[in-house]
Structures are given as C-alpha cells and as structure tokens.
Amino acid sequence: MTHALEYNSERRHLIIPEYGRHLQKMVEEAIEIEDDKERNQVAKSIIAVMGNMQPHLRDVPDFQHKLWDQLFIISDFKLDVESPFPKPTREMLAERPEMLGYPQNFPKYRFYGNNINRMINEVKDWEEGPLKEGLVLTIANHMKKSYLNWNRDTVEDEIIFEHLRELSGGKINLKNADEDLSDASSLIRNKKKHTGKNNNPKKSNRKGGGGRKRY
C-alpha cells in the first residue's frame, strides 16, 4: 500500500517558524471553532504552550503581551478571541519605524568622537582655575590620542590646540600654555614584536645521554 507523501513545499507557509508547524495547525483549528467560549479556552491553552516553548521570554517585560501578539500574527489576524491586551493589526505590523537621526555635532573632526565634544561643551564655561586647567589638558591629550589612532603619523600640539579652540567656540585656547601634551609614543600602544626564538623548553633539543635511541 502506497501512502501519499506531503512535502514542505506543498504545505502552508510558516508565519513564525520558531513555534513549528504543529502549533500553527492548532491555531488554524482554533479559528474554525464556532463556539466563542470554547475558542477562547483553546486560545489560552495555545498561549500556555507558546510560553513553554519560549522560556527565554519569561524575563522579557510584558511577556504575556508579546505571546498574545504572536498568537494573532500566527492566525493571520483571523482569530476572534478576547485578549487581555489590545489586538495588533496588519497595518501596525507592516508599519515601518521612523528613521533615527545620527548625531553629527562636528562632522569635520569625526575621529574625536561625540564624547569629546560633550566634555568640551561642559568645561568651556567653567571658571578659570586649576580644576579647569587640569581637565582641559586631559581632554587635549585624549584628542591627541584619538588623532593618532586615526592617523598614525605624528601630530604637533599646535594642531590639537587649534582644533580644541575651534570646537569650544574660541573659549578654550592653549596656544600660550606652559605645559606640553604627552608624547605620541606614550599615547599609542606599540605592538609586541614576535621574535623567531623558541622559548618553549619542551621543544628544545636534549643533549647528553638522557635521551633514548629509537630503532
């Protein structure tokens, strides 16, 4: 006796593959139930099964809301049951999110990063004193390090001072400062040079009579 084979290519498309075909069939059968009370009871049972299949979602806030939304999506929004949460719609699912604007505070010097710009904006209006002077020099050294990470060649302190003056709107000027910035070699970590020497004692040749001959 020959049985007809059912290929996956002939089956209905899995809407949420993570739950598998058996759960989708349960949802499809629930849609066909005519009695409202029985259909709602079956929907709650399906939600319980979905929760057991996705235990990692239990730590997600609003866990049950997510499961009910997925139930309606699996039913292709055809399941008519009472949900404890607002029912999603096909239009909500197809709605595209708004594009997020990327902050470009100073695109001219992107290699410094936005955090440097925030620090400059914070300290530029401080009262003059040792605290401001120390923080400004720290920012300038960090700018020099960022510059050297972007461009491995050496950079003069005057260039960093000019960028700092420009980014602060002219409120910070270190051109007449008595203290120089850190040396470039101390700001960049040098890669360790690998030598060809064998430092593994296990692989060193044994000399003397300690070794046994092999025939």
Side-chain angles (χ1 to χ4, degrees), residues 159-188:
I159 296 178
I160 303 298
F161 295 159
E162 176 59 25
H163 291 174
L164 180 59
R165 186 195 63 80
E166 184 177 349
L167 294 175
S168 64
K171 294 184 178 181
I172 299 177
N173 191 350
L174 294 179
K175 288 187 176 182
N176 298 324
D178 298 332
E179 186 173 350
D180 295 331
L181 299 181
S182 300
D183 188 70
S185 60
S186 64
L187 294 174
I188 300 179

Side-chain angles (χ1 to χ4, degrees), residues 73-89:
I73 293 172
I74 293 174
S75 70
D76 198 22
F77 305 97
K78 297 177 182 177
L79 184 62
D80 184 15
V81 293
E82 296 178 0
S83 171
F85 307 98
K87 297 180 181 180
T89 61

Side-chain angles (χ1 to χ4, degrees), residues 146-159:
S146 299
Y147 189 101
L148 292 171
N149 287 333
W150 170 71
N151 183 0
R152 288 290 178 176
D153 295 335
T154 184
V155 57
E156 299 294 335
D157 291 352
E158 286 74 14
I159 296 178

Side-chain angles (χ1 to χ4, degrees), residues 188-204:
I188 300 179
R189 295 180 180 178
N190 294 325
K191 296 182 179 180
K192 295 182 179 180
K193 297 182 180 180
H194 298 280
T195 61
K197 297 181 180 179
N198 188 358
N199 296 324
N200 191 346
K202 295 182 179 180
K203 295 184 179 180
S204 59

Side-chain angles (χ1 to χ4, degrees), residues 48-73:
V49 174
M50 293 171 64
N52 292 331
M53 295 176 65
Q54 303 286 346
H56 62 279
L57 291 178
R58 297 187 186 277
D59 298 331
V60 176
D62 212 356
F63 167 67
Q64 288 291 323
H65 193 174
K66 185 178 184 70
L67 292 181
W68 278 96
D69 286 349
Q70 291 178 337
L71 175 62
F72 287 113
I73 293 172

Side-chain angles (χ1 to χ4, degrees), residues 125-139:
D125 294 323
W126 285 12
E127 294 183 3
E128 298 297 332
L131 182 60
K132 180 179 180 179
E133 182 180 353
L135 185 55
V136 167
L137 286 174
T138 301
I139 294 174

